[in-house]
Amino acid sequence: QEIEHGPSDEGESQVVSTLPTREGWWKPFVLFQGCWLTPQAAESVKVAQTKFQPRPDDIILATYPKCGTTWLKALAFTIVHRSRYDVASDDHPLLTRHPQDLVPFIEMPYRYIHPLEELEVLPTPRILTTHLPLALQPSAISTLGCRVVYLCREPKDVLVSTWHYMNKVREDFHIDLEMTFEFFCEGFSIFGPIWEHCLGYWKQSMVEPDRILFLKYNDMMADPIKHVKMLAEFLQVPFSEEEESAGVVEEVVRLCSFNNLKSLPVNSSGAGDRIGDLPMENSAFFRSAKVGDWRDHLTEEMAKKLDSIIVDKLKNSGLVL
Ligand code: A3P
């Protein structure tokens, strides 16, 4: 299988060209350090692994794609910067900027020359995002003790969300739900397998609970107020009694809620290229946010099969997704 390579770095591309490759998604994926990535992403991750320079007070938001990254970015940004940007103000950055653009990724956009310099100029404390499994993170993140917030989601809902999203990545690419399901069950999905992703962060969060906060999308949807407070405490900017009685926590929840963000013109129109050569409509990040949406898409048989794979993969870990 021919893999496209960037012109700029032959040496690095040779490493990627020897990796196991598999087709089926919008472009062939390579298995890089146990994780399925596009070749461009693999190149970019290699650069980030060696060149990214974390700061001890960096806050890292880590997710498997489609687990609520956009929501977590909005929440973390709003909570951490609330002394600078009043949550209730008419000119809060979330009202005019897509949450994806307020908090950058460490490993994206994927270009052969990774734009790490753009991260260098950000003021401290930086909030950064990654889709990388823990094992693939630049190692200095853990050595320096950077705090990590990990958000996971019920895998059947992740599958359905992924399917909708992947059918938007390119006009000339279509994948049906059955194929998406098969790939997902085999662990062949972007940044997959999903169970490896969740398990890596889960196990480490048991070892270092003060450094890694492990959150679940459905729990956050069920009680956002509790989770916003928890996030603020973990990020070392707890809400004061005055803030709590003034309703600031509720205001954060409202500002970052799906319905509010989805309705804003900046999120409902236009497009941006955040991934690298893959422009995506801004609205693609706000679909239905329905807990249990898989019930409208998967057969009982599909649901049972994926459930049993996940139970098997997570057994003895204590993690239930
Ligand atoms: P659905 O496709 O199930 O609707 P990510 O941000 O990691 O790409 O995840 C996208 C998923 O999060 C989508 O799920 C999207 O609708 C949902 N989402 C986006 N913003 C949200 C918010 N503010 N609150 C809850 N869910 C949100």
Side-chain angles (χ1 to χ4, degrees), residues 70-133:
T70 316
W71 188 20
L72 186 61
K73 284 188 180 199
L75 287 170
F77 181 92
T78 305
I79 292 168
V80 169
H81 295 304
R82 68 186 189 278
S83 57
R84 182 159 157 218
Y85 303 117
D86 189 297
V87 178
S89 84
D90 289 345
D91 58 358
H92 192 281
L94 270 177
L95 302 178
T96 48
R97 294 189 63 195
H98 197 290
Q100 287 289 345
D101 298 334
L102 283 176
V103 181
F105 275 92
I106 294 171
E107 71 275 7
M108 278 193 239
Y110 308 129
R111 300 196 193 111
Y112 288 96
I113 306 289
H114 189 276
L116 281 174
E117 315 80 58
E118 290 166 23
L119 304 183
E120 296 301 325
V121 297
L122 295 175
T124 295
R126 298 184 297 188
I127 312 176
L128 305 169
T129 312
T130 184
H131 280 325
L132 288 175

Side-chain angles (χ1 to χ4, degrees), residues 156-182:
K156 298 191 291 307
D157 280 343
V158 179
L159 162 69
V160 169
S161 185
T162 301
W163 174 60
H164 282 283
Y165 186 84
M166 289 303 179
N167 279 297
K168 290 183 184 157
V169 295
R170 259 178 33 185
E171 266 176 26
D172 58 352
F173 172 74
H174 173 78
I175 185 162
D176 59 33
L177 182 59
E178 287 69 25
M179 186 58 84
T180 310
F181 174 78
E182 287 308 322

Side-chain angles (χ1 to χ4, degrees), residues 71 75 78 86-90 92 94-95 224-225 228 247-264:
W71 188 20
L75 287 170
T78 305
D86 189 297
V87 178
S89 84
D90 289 345
H92 192 281
L94 270 177
L95 302 178
I225 290 190
V228 163
V248 177
V249 182
E250 285 79 0
E251 193 53 37
V252 172
V253 169
R254 194 205 59 80
L255 177 65
C256 300
S257 70
F258 176 76
N259 286 337
N260 184 52
L261 293 180
K262 185 184 168 88
S263 71
L264 297 171

Side-chain angles (χ1 to χ4, degrees), residues 18-231:
T18 61
L19 296 171
T21 303
R22 185 169 169 188
E23 290 189 61
W25 292 102
W26 74 95
K27 58 166 55 188
F29 287 1
V30 293
L31 189 61
F32 178 76
Q33 300 174 1
C35 176
W36 287 106
L37 298 172
T38 63
Q40 285 83 351
E43 299 287 0
S44 185
V45 170
K46 279 197 305 150
V47 175
Q49 284 177 337
T50 50
K51 307 235 166 80
F52 170 64
Q53 294 190 332
R55 300 175 197 160
D57 46 11
D58 280 344
I59 295 161
I60 312 289
L61 310 178
T63 59
Y64 184 84
K66 302 297 118 198
C67 288
T69 322
T70 316
W71 188 20
L72 186 61
K73 284 188 180 199
L75 287 170
F77 181 92
T78 305
I79 292 168
V80 169
H81 295 304
R82 68 186 189 278
S83 57
R84 182 159 157 218
Y85 303 117
D86 189 297
V87 178
S89 84
D90 289 345
D91 58 358
H92 192 281
L94 270 177
L95 302 178
T96 48
R97 294 189 63 195
H98 197 290
Q100 287 289 345
D101 298 334
L102 283 176
V103 181
F105 275 92
I106 294 171
E107 71 275 7
M108 278 193 239
Y110 308 129
R111 300 196 193 111
Y112 288 96
I113 306 289
H114 189 276
L116 281 174
E117 315 80 58
E118 290 166 23
L119 304 183
E120 296 301 325
V121 297
L122 295 175
T124 295
R126 298 184 297 188
I127 312 176
L128 305 169
T129 312
T130 184
H131 280 325
L132 288 175
L134 187 75
L136 271 73
Q137 276 188 3
S139 54
I141 290 179
S142 110
T143 330
L144 287 180
C146 306
R147 273 159 302 147
V148 176
V149 180
Y150 184 72
L151 176 59
C152 71
R153 190 180 183 190
E154 205 285 317
K156 298 191 291 307
D157 280 343
V158 179
L159 162 69
V160 169
S161 185
T162 301
W163 174 60
H164 282 283
Y165 186 84
M166 289 303 179
N167 279 297
K168 290 183 184 157
V169 295
R170 259 178 33 185
E171 266 176 26
D172 58 352
F173 172 74
H174 173 78
I175 185 162
D176 59 33
L177 182 59
E178 287 69 25
M179 186 58 84
T180 310
F181 174 78
E182 287 308 322
F183 285 167
F184 205 79
C185 287
E186 291 170 29
F188 177 52
S189 54
I190 194 78
F191 292 98
I194 186 172
W195 47 85
E196 294 289 343
H197 208 282
C198 301
L199 270 177
Y201 285 96
W202 171 253
K203 288 183 180 164
Q204 202 56 30
S205 75
M206 298 286 116
V207 179
E208 297 179 281
D210 295 338
R211 189 174 81 81
I212 302 184
L213 178 66
F214 192 97
L215 299 175
K216 297 180 181 175
Y217 180 93
N218 290 0
D219 292 349
M220 281 176 48
M221 289 291 271
D223 194 345
I225 290 190
K226 176 176 133 191
H227 285 83
V228 163
K229 287 190 202 168
M230 199 193 282
L231 255 176

